[in-house]
Amino acid sequence: MTQKRRNNGRNKHGRGHVKFVRCANCARCVPKDKAIKRFLIRNMVESAAIRDISENSVYDNVVLPKLYIKMHYCISCGIHSHIVRVRSRDGRRNRAPPQRFRFNKDGKKYGVYLDSYYCCGGLFADDIVLVAPSKQALKKILNKIHWFLRGFSN
């Protein structure tokens, strides 16, 4: 029988049974290895009280701790709330973590968008990092960069 993913959508490789967790959104029982897991990072104190604490504190530059909550979602809630996205057959083969964008001082993302893949550049030309799901896509990106740079050499 054909299979959609090489792990059948789970991370249960040698185990026969896995405990269930509850979805944070709809409270559905989901196997722990199948659930979508994300950390919700919040300040322990709400933003209105941070100013009061910093004004009344004896110490300067008090760093308040953050609250890390591990959230479990079922597949349907994860897709519905855009935590994960539906990917094409070729996109499902990409096992690399998603690209994290850097922000400059103005609060804008930097990086070049080429054919639905991102090419994030560092400070120097030697620090360019290319991200592509396959060799064919990487060759397409390199070819586009080559033709793009040829236009500047004239």
Side-chain angles (χ1 to χ4, degrees):
M1 195 166 149
T2 59
Q3 65 182 50
K4 206 170 186 181
R5 291 167 187 84
R6 77 181 212 170
N7 63 354
N8 297 317
R10 301 190 63 167
N11 192 17
K12 181 188 73 82
H13 293 292
R15 293 175 280 280
H17 186 265
V18 176
K19 298 271 188 190
F20 286 99
V21 293
R22 292 290 190 154
C23 174
N25 192 29
C26 67
R28 173 187 275 170
C29 273
V30 191
K32 188 176 179 183
D33 62 318
K34 187 174 187 172
I36 298 162
K37 296 166 275 292
R38 296 289 184 269
F39 275 101
L40 179 71
I41 304 168
R42 289 193 300 187
N43 289 325
M44 281 191 174
V45 183
E46 63 268 3
S47 59
I50 288 176
R51 198 179 92 234
D52 298 334
I53 291 172
S54 60
E55 285 176 357
N56 296 327
S57 176
V58 177
Y59 302 105
D60 293 334
N61 299 328
V62 175
V63 179
L64 295 172
K66 292 189 180 290
L67 191 65
Y68 293 85
I69 305 167
K70 191 169 190 179
M71 306 292 282
H72 297 275
Y73 297 98
C74 64
I75 302 299
S76 53
C77 287
I79 291 170
H80 181 72
S81 56
H82 301 292
I83 295 165
V84 290
R85 304 237 188 292
V86 177
R87 297 191 290 176
S88 65
R89 182 178 290 177
D90 293 333
R92 274 184 237 130
R93 291 182 188 158
N94 180 13
R95 294 168 55 86
Q99 180 69 33
R100 288 191 179 184
F101 288 102
R102 305 290 182 206
F103 293 94
N104 59 11
K105 292 178 183 176
D106 302 333
K108 296 179 183 175
K109 290 182 189 176
Y110 68 87
V112 181
Y113 185 72
L114 296 172
D115 194 27
S116 75
Y117 304 110
Y118 286 91
C119 164
C120 272
L123 296 175
F124 304 104
D126 299 335
D127 295 339
I128 291 176
V129 178
L130 292 176
V131 178
S134 65
K135 280 188 178 179
Q136 293 171 343
L138 187 63
K139 285 181 183 178
K140 281 184 184 178
I141 292 172
L142 289 173
N143 201 5
K144 284 186 179 185
I145 291 172
H146 173 72
W147 285 104
F148 180 73
L149 293 175
R150 270 186 84 184
F152 283 109
S153 63
N154 292 336

